[in-house]
Amino acid sequence: MKTITDLLELIIKIEQTNKNYLIQFQVKLDLGYKRISMRTFSEYYDDEKDEMVQYGYEDIDDIKFDSPEGIQVAYWTLLNRVKDRVK
């Protein structure tokens, strides 16, 4: 059974592995409402605009983790999305 500590450790691992990849994940954790969401984004240089542009989209939207079952869903949903990066 996963705990909130396991969920936080997974988020830290995701943030640490972002540095090495073009496509990155950003996890938003709202402890007040006990919700978690994640977006995927990448940055690239746009020649027409002559600047760095960020392209992103919502990947996981608002998983509520206000119960032990919710923590399980949040943990395993995040892990399944980033399992190729987090060992």
Side-chain angles (χ1 to χ4, degrees), residues 1-52:
M1 190 101 165
K2 298 298 179 184
T3 64
I4 192 73
T5 305
D6 297 322
L7 183 61
L8 292 174
E9 288 174 354
L10 178 61
I11 293 169
I12 290 168
K13 285 181 188 176
I14 291 169
E15 291 296 322
Q16 289 174 342
T17 59
N18 267 339
K19 299 171 188 150
N20 302 326
Y21 291 91
L22 178 62
I23 296 176
Q24 298 185 359
F25 300 112
Q26 182 180 42
V27 179
K28 182 179 175 184
L29 183 67
D30 186 345
L31 294 175
Y33 291 105
K34 295 185 178 171
R35 295 183 181 271
I36 191 167
S37 59
M38 185 175 79
R39 74 180 189 113
T40 304
F41 69 94
S42 62
E43 290 184 335
Y44 62 92
Y45 186 76
D46 189 345
D47 291 330
E48 292 176 7
K49 295 181 181 179
D50 196 30
E51 63 183 18
M52 291 297 287

Short mmCIF file of all heavy atoms in Angstrom, two decimals, residues 1-52:
data_model
loop_
_atom_site.label_atom_id
_atom_site.label_comp_id
_atom_site.label_asym_id
_atom_site.label_seq_id
_atom_site.Cartn_x
_atom_site.Cartn_y
_atom_site.Cartn_z
N MET A 1 0.85 -1.18 0.00
CA MET A 1 0.00 0.00 0.00
C MET A 1 0.89 1.24 0.00
O MET A 1 1.75 1.40 0.86
CB MET A 1 -0.88 -0.03 1.24
CG MET A 1 -1.94 0.97 1.26
SD MET A 1 -3.47 0.19 0.80
CE MET A 1 -4.60 1.41 1.32
N LYS A 2 0.70 2.11 -0.98
CA LYS A 2 1.51 3.31 -1.11
C LYS A 2 0.97 4.40 -0.17
O LYS A 2 -0.21 4.46 0.13
CB LYS A 2 1.50 3.82 -2.54
CG LYS A 2 2.09 2.84 -3.53
CD LYS A 2 3.54 2.58 -3.20
CE LYS A 2 4.14 1.58 -4.16
NZ LYS A 2 5.50 1.25 -3.83
N THR A 3 1.89 5.24 0.28
CA THR A 3 1.54 6.33 1.18
C THR A 3 1.82 7.67 0.52
O THR A 3 2.38 7.72 -0.58
CB THR A 3 2.36 6.24 2.49
OG1 THR A 3 3.75 6.43 2.14
CG2 THR A 3 2.18 4.90 3.17
N ILE A 4 1.45 8.74 1.19
CA ILE A 4 1.72 10.07 0.67
C ILE A 4 3.22 10.30 0.53
O ILE A 4 3.67 10.99 -0.39
CB ILE A 4 1.05 11.16 1.55
CG1 ILE A 4 1.07 12.52 0.87
CG2 ILE A 4 1.70 11.25 2.89
CD1 ILE A 4 0.11 12.66 -0.26
N THR A 5 4.01 9.70 1.40
CA THR A 5 5.47 9.79 1.30
C THR A 5 5.96 9.16 0.00
O THR A 5 6.84 9.73 -0.68
CB THR A 5 6.14 9.11 2.51
OG1 THR A 5 5.62 9.69 3.70
CG2 THR A 5 7.64 9.26 2.47
N ASP A 6 5.42 8.01 -0.36
CA ASP A 6 5.80 7.37 -1.62
C ASP A 6 5.43 8.25 -2.81
O ASP A 6 6.20 8.35 -3.78
CB ASP A 6 5.10 6.01 -1.76
CG ASP A 6 5.51 5.03 -0.68
OD1 ASP A 6 6.70 5.01 -0.32
OD2 ASP A 6 4.63 4.28 -0.20
N LEU A 7 4.28 8.89 -2.75
CA LEU A 7 3.85 9.77 -3.82
C LEU A 7 4.80 10.96 -3.95
O LEU A 7 5.21 11.33 -5.06
CB LEU A 7 2.42 10.25 -3.55
CG LEU A 7 1.78 11.14 -4.61
CD1 LEU A 7 1.69 10.44 -5.95
CD2 LEU A 7 0.40 11.58 -4.14
N LEU A 8 5.18 11.55 -2.84
CA LEU A 8 6.12 12.68 -2.87
C LEU A 8 7.49 12.26 -3.38
O LEU A 8 8.13 13.00 -4.14
CB LEU A 8 6.24 13.31 -1.48
CG LEU A 8 4.98 14.02 -0.97
CD1 LEU A 8 5.16 14.46 0.47
CD2 LEU A 8 4.62 15.19 -1.86
N GLU A 9 7.97 11.08 -2.99
CA GLU A 9 9.25 10.59 -3.50
C GLU A 9 9.21 10.37 -5.00
O GLU A 9 10.18 10.65 -5.70
CB GLU A 9 9.64 9.30 -2.78
CG GLU A 9 10.07 9.50 -1.35
CD GLU A 9 10.32 8.21 -0.59
OE1 GLU A 9 10.06 7.12 -1.14
OE2 GLU A 9 10.77 8.30 0.56
N LEU A 10 8.08 9.88 -5.51
CA LEU A 10 7.94 9.70 -6.95
C LEU A 10 7.98 11.04 -7.67
O LEU A 10 8.63 11.17 -8.71
CB LEU A 10 6.63 8.96 -7.26
CG LEU A 10 6.32 8.74 -8.73
CD1 LEU A 10 7.41 7.91 -9.40
CD2 LEU A 10 4.96 8.09 -8.89
N ILE A 11 7.33 12.04 -7.13
CA ILE A 11 7.34 13.37 -7.74
C ILE A 11 8.75 13.93 -7.76
O ILE A 11 9.19 14.52 -8.75
CB ILE A 11 6.38 14.32 -6.99
CG1 ILE A 11 4.93 13.86 -7.22
CG2 ILE A 11 6.55 15.76 -7.44
CD1 ILE A 11 3.92 14.53 -6.34
N ILE A 12 9.51 13.72 -6.70
CA ILE A 12 10.90 14.18 -6.65
C ILE A 12 11.73 13.47 -7.72
O ILE A 12 12.53 14.10 -8.42
CB ILE A 12 11.49 13.97 -5.25
CG1 ILE A 12 10.84 14.93 -4.27
CG2 ILE A 12 13.00 14.14 -5.25
CD1 ILE A 12 11.13 14.64 -2.81
N LYS A 13 11.54 12.16 -7.89
CA LYS A 13 12.25 11.42 -8.93
C LYS A 13 11.92 11.95 -10.32
O LYS A 13 12.79 12.07 -11.17
CB LYS A 13 11.91 9.93 -8.86
CG LYS A 13 12.57 9.21 -7.74
CD LYS A 13 12.19 7.74 -7.78
CE LYS A 13 12.67 7.00 -6.56
NZ LYS A 13 12.23 5.60 -6.57
N ILE A 14 10.66 12.26 -10.53
CA ILE A 14 10.24 12.81 -11.84
C ILE A 14 10.95 14.13 -12.10
O ILE A 14 11.48 14.36 -13.18
CB ILE A 14 8.71 12.98 -11.88
CG1 ILE A 14 8.02 11.62 -11.90
CG2 ILE A 14 8.30 13.80 -13.10
CD1 ILE A 14 6.52 11.68 -11.68
N GLU A 15 10.97 15.01 -11.11
CA GLU A 15 11.63 16.31 -11.26
C GLU A 15 13.13 16.17 -11.49
O GLU A 15 13.72 16.91 -12.27
CB GLU A 15 11.36 17.18 -10.04
CG GLU A 15 9.93 17.64 -9.92
CD GLU A 15 9.50 18.55 -11.06
OE1 GLU A 15 10.30 19.39 -11.50
OE2 GLU A 15 8.35 18.41 -11.51
N GLN A 16 13.76 15.21 -10.83
CA GLN A 16 15.21 15.02 -10.98
C GLN A 16 15.57 14.47 -12.36
O GLN A 16 16.63 14.79 -12.89
CB GLN A 16 15.73 14.07 -9.91
CG GLN A 16 15.74 14.68 -8.54
CD GLN A 16 16.11 13.69 -7.45
OE1 GLN A 16 16.05 12.48 -7.65
NE2 GLN A 16 16.49 14.21 -6.30
N THR A 17 14.72 13.65 -12.95
CA THR A 17 15.04 13.07 -14.25
C THR A 17 14.69 13.99 -15.41
O THR A 17 15.09 13.74 -16.53
CB THR A 17 14.31 11.73 -14.46
OG1 THR A 17 12.91 11.93 -14.37
CG2 THR A 17 14.76 10.71 -13.44
N ASN A 18 13.98 15.06 -15.16
CA ASN A 18 13.60 15.99 -16.23
C ASN A 18 14.79 16.63 -16.92
O ASN A 18 14.71 16.97 -18.08
CB ASN A 18 12.71 17.11 -15.67
CG ASN A 18 11.25 16.79 -15.79
OD1 ASN A 18 10.83 15.96 -16.59
ND2 ASN A 18 10.46 17.45 -14.99
N LYS A 19 15.87 16.79 -16.21
CA LYS A 19 17.02 17.53 -16.73
C LYS A 19 17.63 16.88 -17.96
O LYS A 19 18.26 17.55 -18.76
CB LYS A 19 18.07 17.68 -15.64
CG LYS A 19 17.57 18.44 -14.44
CD LYS A 19 18.56 18.38 -13.31
CE LYS A 19 17.92 18.99 -12.08
NZ LYS A 19 18.40 18.44 -10.86
N ASN A 20 17.46 15.59 -18.13
CA ASN A 20 18.14 14.87 -19.20
C ASN A 20 17.29 14.63 -20.44
O ASN A 20 17.74 13.99 -21.37
CB ASN A 20 18.62 13.51 -18.67
CG ASN A 20 19.53 13.67 -17.48
OD1 ASN A 20 20.28 14.63 -17.40
ND2 ASN A 20 19.45 12.76 -16.54
N TYR A 21 16.07 15.13 -20.48
CA TYR A 21 15.15 14.81 -21.56
C TYR A 21 14.60 16.06 -22.23
O TYR A 21 14.39 17.08 -21.58
CB TYR A 21 13.97 13.97 -21.03
CG TYR A 21 14.38 12.59 -20.61
CD1 TYR A 21 14.75 12.34 -19.29
CD2 TYR A 21 14.41 11.55 -21.51
CE1 TYR A 21 15.13 11.07 -18.89
CE2 TYR A 21 14.78 10.28 -21.12
CZ TYR A 21 15.14 10.04 -19.81
OH TYR A 21 15.52 8.79 -19.43
N LEU A 22 14.33 15.93 -23.52
CA LEU A 22 13.73 17.03 -24.26
C LEU A 22 12.28 17.23 -23.84
O LEU A 22 11.84 18.35 -23.62
CB LEU A 22 13.79 16.72 -25.77
CG LEU A 22 13.16 17.75 -26.68
CD1 LEU A 22 13.89 19.09 -26.55
CD2 LEU A 22 13.18 17.28 -28.11
N ILE A 23 11.53 16.16 -23.72
CA ILE A 23 10.15 16.24 -23.24
C ILE A 23 10.18 16.10 -21.73
O ILE A 23 10.72 15.14 -21.20
CB ILE A 23 9.28 15.16 -23.88
CG1 ILE A 23 9.21 15.41 -25.39
CG2 ILE A 23 7.89 15.16 -23.27
CD1 ILE A 23 8.45 14.37 -26.15
N GLN A 24 9.61 17.08 -21.05
CA GLN A 24 9.67 17.10 -19.59
C GLN A 24 8.27 17.03 -18.99
O GLN A 24 7.28 17.35 -19.64
CB GLN A 24 10.37 18.38 -19.13
CG GLN A 24 11.79 18.44 -19.62
CD GLN A 24 12.52 19.63 -19.05
OE1 GLN A 24 11.98 20.42 -18.30
NE2 GLN A 24 13.78 19.75 -19.40
N PHE A 25 8.23 16.63 -17.73
CA PHE A 25 6.98 16.54 -16.98
C PHE A 25 7.00 17.58 -15.87
O PHE A 25 8.03 17.83 -15.26
CB PHE A 25 6.82 15.16 -16.35
CG PHE A 25 6.79 14.05 -17.35
CD1 PHE A 25 7.81 13.13 -17.41
CD2 PHE A 25 5.73 13.91 -18.22
CE1 PHE A 25 7.79 12.10 -18.32
CE2 PHE A 25 5.69 12.87 -19.13
CZ PHE A 25 6.72 11.97 -19.19
N GLN A 26 5.85 18.17 -15.63
CA GLN A 26 5.70 19.10 -14.52
C GLN A 26 4.50 18.65 -13.70
O GLN A 26 3.39 18.59 -14.21
CB GLN A 26 5.50 20.52 -15.03
CG GLN A 26 5.38 21.54 -13.93
CD GLN A 26 5.17 22.93 -14.49
OE1 GLN A 26 4.41 23.12 -15.44
NE2 GLN A 26 5.84 23.89 -13.91
N VAL A 27 4.75 18.32 -12.45
CA VAL A 27 3.70 17.83 -11.56
C VAL A 27 3.23 18.98 -10.69
O VAL A 27 4.03 19.70 -10.10
CB VAL A 27 4.22 16.67 -10.69
CG1 VAL A 27 3.13 16.18 -9.75
CG2 VAL A 27 4.74 15.53 -11.56
N LYS A 28 1.93 19.14 -10.61
CA LYS A 28 1.33 20.17 -9.75
C LYS A 28 0.61 19.45 -8.62
O LYS A 28 -0.30 18.66 -8.85
CB LYS A 28 0.35 21.02 -10.54
CG LYS A 28 -0.28 22.12 -9.74
CD LYS A 28 -1.21 22.93 -10.59
CE LYS A 28 -1.92 23.96 -9.76
NZ LYS A 28 -2.91 24.71 -10.57
N LEU A 29 1.03 19.72 -7.42
CA LEU A 29 0.49 19.08 -6.23
C LEU A 29 -0.21 20.14 -5.39
O LEU A 29 0.41 21.10 -4.95
CB LEU A 29 1.62 18.43 -5.44
CG LEU A 29 1.27 17.64 -4.21
CD1 LEU A 29 0.49 16.40 -4.60
CD2 LEU A 29 2.54 17.24 -3.49
N ASP A 30 -1.50 19.97 -5.18
CA ASP A 30 -2.29 20.91 -4.38
C ASP A 30 -2.68 20.19 -3.08
O ASP A 30 -3.59 19.37 -3.06
CB ASP A 30 -3.52 21.34 -5.15
CG ASP A 30 -4.31 22.43 -4.43
OD1 ASP A 30 -4.07 22.64 -3.23
OD2 ASP A 30 -5.15 23.06 -5.08
N LEU A 31 -1.95 20.50 -2.01
CA LEU A 31 -2.21 19.83 -0.74
C LEU A 31 -3.46 20.34 -0.04
O LEU A 31 -4.04 19.65 0.78
CB LEU A 31 -0.99 19.97 0.18
CG LEU A 31 0.26 19.25 -0.30
CD1 LEU A 31 1.44 19.56 0.62
CD2 LEU A 31 0.03 17.77 -0.39
N GLY A 32 -3.90 21.55 -0.37
CA GLY A 32 -5.12 22.08 0.22
C GLY A 32 -6.35 21.30 -0.22
O GLY A 32 -7.19 20.92 0.58
N TYR A 33 -6.45 21.07 -1.52
CA TYR A 33 -7.59 20.33 -2.07
C TYR A 33 -7.27 18.86 -2.30
O TYR A 33 -8.13 18.10 -2.75
CB TYR A 33 -8.05 20.96 -3.40
CG TYR A 33 -8.66 22.31 -3.22
CD1 TYR A 33 -7.96 23.46 -3.56
CD2 TYR A 33 -9.94 22.44 -2.70
CE1 TYR A 33 -8.53 24.71 -3.40
CE2 TYR A 33 -10.51 23.69 -2.53
CZ TYR A 33 -9.80 24.82 -2.88
OH TYR A 33 -10.37 26.05 -2.71
N LYS A 34 -6.03 18.48 -2.01
CA LYS A 34 -5.56 17.10 -2.18
C LYS A 34 -5.82 16.60 -3.59
O LYS A 34 -6.48 15.60 -3.82
CB LYS A 34 -6.18 16.18 -1.13
CG LYS A 34 -5.74 16.54 0.26
CD LYS A 34 -6.24 15.58 1.28
CE LYS A 34 -5.71 16.00 2.64
NZ LYS A 34 -6.30 15.25 3.71
N ARG A 35 -5.24 17.34 -4.54
CA ARG A 35 -5.34 16.99 -5.95
C ARG A 35 -3.96 17.05 -6.58
O ARG A 35 -3.10 17.80 -6.15
CB ARG A 35 -6.26 17.95 -6.69
CG ARG A 35 -7.69 17.87 -6.23
CD ARG A 35 -8.56 18.79 -7.06
NE ARG A 35 -9.93 18.76 -6.64
CZ ARG A 35 -10.84 17.91 -7.11
NH1 ARG A 35 -10.49 17.03 -8.00
NH2 ARG A 35 -12.07 17.95 -6.68
N ILE A 36 -3.78 16.23 -7.60
CA ILE A 36 -2.52 16.21 -8.33
C ILE A 36 -2.82 16.22 -9.82
O ILE A 36 -3.80 15.64 -10.28
CB ILE A 36 -1.69 14.96 -7.93
CG1 ILE A 36 -0.28 15.07 -8.47
CG2 ILE A 36 -2.36 13.68 -8.37
CD1 ILE A 36 0.65 14.05 -7.87
N SER A 37 -2.01 16.95 -10.56
CA SER A 37 -2.12 16.96 -12.02
C SER A 37 -0.71 17.03 -12.59
O SER A 37 0.24 17.38 -11.89
CB SER A 37 -2.98 18.13 -12.50
OG SER A 37 -2.42 19.35 -12.09
N MET A 38 -0.59 16.67 -13.85
CA MET A 38 0.72 16.67 -14.48
C MET A 38 0.56 17.14 -15.91
O MET A 38 -0.42 16.82 -16.57
CB MET A 38 1.33 15.27 -14.46
CG MET A 38 2.74 15.24 -15.01
SD MET A 38 3.51 13.63 -14.86
CE MET A 38 2.77 12.79 -16.23
N ARG A 39 1.53 17.90 -16.38
CA ARG A 39 1.54 18.29 -17.78
C ARG A 39 2.86 17.90 -18.40
O ARG A 39 3.88 17.76 -17.72
CB ARG A 39 1.27 19.78 -17.96
CG ARG A 39 2.40 20.68 -17.59
CD ARG A 39 2.01 22.13 -17.82
NE ARG A 39 3.18 22.97 -17.67
CZ ARG A 39 3.73 23.65 -18.65
NH1 ARG A 39 3.23 23.61 -19.86
NH2 ARG A 39 4.80 24.38 -18.45
N THR A 40 2.83 17.71 -19.69
CA THR A 40 4.02 17.38 -20.45
C THR A 40 4.35 18.59 -21.31
O THR A 40 3.45 19.20 -21.89
CB THR A 40 3.74 16.16 -21.35
OG1 THR A 40 3.29 15.09 -20.53
CG2 THR A 40 4.99 15.73 -22.08
N PHE A 41 5.63 18.93 -21.40
CA PHE A 41 6.00 20.07 -22.22
C PHE A 41 7.40 19.89 -22.79
O PHE A 41 8.19 19.07 -22.31
CB PHE A 41 5.89 21.38 -21.44
CG PHE A 41 6.91 21.55 -20.36
CD1 PHE A 41 8.10 22.21 -20.60
CD2 PHE A 41 6.69 21.04 -19.10
CE1 PHE A 41 9.04 22.36 -19.60
CE2 PHE A 41 7.62 21.19 -18.09
CZ PHE A 41 8.80 21.84 -18.34
N SER A 42 7.67 20.67 -23.81
CA SER A 42 9.02 20.72 -24.37
C SER A 42 9.28 22.15 -24.83
O SER A 42 8.35 22.89 -25.14
CB SER A 42 9.18 19.74 -25.53
OG SER A 42 8.30 20.08 -26.57
N GLU A 43 10.54 22.52 -24.85
CA GLU A 43 10.93 23.84 -25.31
C GLU A 43 11.75 23.67 -26.59
O GLU A 43 12.55 22.76 -26.70
CB GLU A 43 11.77 24.56 -24.27
CG GLU A 43 11.00 24.98 -23.05
CD GLU A 43 11.85 25.78 -22.08
OE1 GLU A 43 13.06 25.64 -22.08
OE2 GLU A 43 11.26 26.55 -21.33
N TYR A 44 11.51 24.55 -27.52
CA TYR A 44 12.28 24.52 -28.76
C TYR A 44 12.46 25.94 -29.27
O TYR A 44 11.75 26.85 -28.89
CB TYR A 44 11.59 23.64 -29.82
CG TYR A 44 10.23 24.12 -30.23
CD1 TYR A 44 10.08 24.97 -31.32
CD2 TYR A 44 9.10 23.73 -29.53
CE1 TYR A 44 8.84 25.43 -31.69
CE2 TYR A 44 7.85 24.18 -29.91
CZ TYR A 44 7.72 25.03 -30.99
OH TYR A 44 6.49 25.47 -31.34
N TYR A 45 13.43 26.09 -30.16
CA TYR A 45 13.73 27.40 -30.71
C TYR A 45 12.90 27.61 -31.97
O TYR A 45 12.95 26.81 -32.91
CB TYR A 45 15.22 27.53 -31.03
CG TYR A 45 15.61 28.90 -31.47
CD1 TYR A 45 15.74 29.92 -30.54
CD2 TYR A 45 15.83 29.18 -32.81
CE1 TYR A 45 16.10 31.19 -30.94
CE2 TYR A 45 16.17 30.45 -33.22
CZ TYR A 45 16.31 31.45 -32.27
OH TYR A 45 16.64 32.72 -32.67
N ASP A 46 12.11 28.68 -31.99
CA ASP A 46 11.29 29.04 -33.15
C ASP A 46 12.04 30.08 -33.97
O ASP A 46 12.26 31.20 -33.51
CB ASP A 46 9.94 29.57 -32.68
CG ASP A 46 8.96 29.76 -33.82
OD1 ASP A 46 9.39 29.76 -34.99
OD2 ASP A 46 7.76 29.89 -33.53
N ASP A 47 12.42 29.69 -35.19
CA ASP A 47 13.18 30.61 -36.05
C ASP A 47 12.37 31.83 -36.45
O ASP A 47 12.91 32.93 -36.57
CB ASP A 47 13.65 29.88 -37.31
CG ASP A 47 14.71 28.84 -37.00
OD1 ASP A 47 15.48 29.06 -36.03
OD2 ASP A 47 14.78 27.83 -37.72
N GLU A 48 11.07 31.64 -36.68
CA GLU A 48 10.24 32.77 -37.11
C GLU A 48 10.10 33.81 -36.01
O GLU A 48 10.13 35.00 -36.27
CB GLU A 48 8.86 32.27 -37.53
CG GLU A 48 8.89 31.43 -38.79
CD GLU A 48 7.53 30.86 -39.13
OE1 GLU A 48 6.53 31.23 -38.48
OE2 GLU A 48 7.48 30.05 -40.07
N LYS A 49 9.93 33.37 -34.78
CA LYS A 49 9.79 34.29 -33.65
C LYS A 49 11.13 34.69 -33.07
O LYS A 49 11.22 35.63 -32.28
CB LYS A 49 8.94 33.66 -32.55
CG LYS A 49 7.51 33.41 -32.96
CD LYS A 49 6.74 32.81 -31.80
CE LYS A 49 5.30 32.54 -32.20
NZ LYS A 49 4.54 31.93 -31.09
N ASP A 50 12.18 33.97 -33.42
CA ASP A 50 13.53 34.20 -32.93
C ASP A 50 13.59 34.15 -31.40
O ASP A 50 14.18 34.99 -30.74
CB ASP A 50 14.05 35.55 -33.43
CG ASP A 50 15.56 35.66 -33.27
OD1 ASP A 50 16.24 34.61 -33.34
OD2 ASP A 50 16.06 36.78 -33.06
N GLU A 51 12.92 33.13 -30.82
CA GLU A 51 12.91 32.94 -29.37
C GLU A 51 12.59 31.49 -29.03
O GLU A 51 12.13 30.73 -29.88
CB GLU A 51 11.90 33.87 -28.71
CG GLU A 51 10.47 33.59 -29.11
CD GLU A 51 9.48 34.56 -28.48
OE1 GLU A 51 9.87 35.64 -28.02
OE2 GLU A 51 8.29 34.21 -28.48
N MET A 52 12.81 31.16 -27.77
CA MET A 52 12.45 29.84 -27.28
C MET A 52 10.94 29.81 -27.04
O MET A 52 10.37 30.74 -26.49
CB MET A 52 13.17 29.51 -25.97
CG MET A 52 14.66 29.32 -26.11
SD MET A 52 15.10 27.93 -27.17
CE MET A 52 14.70 26.56 -26.12
#
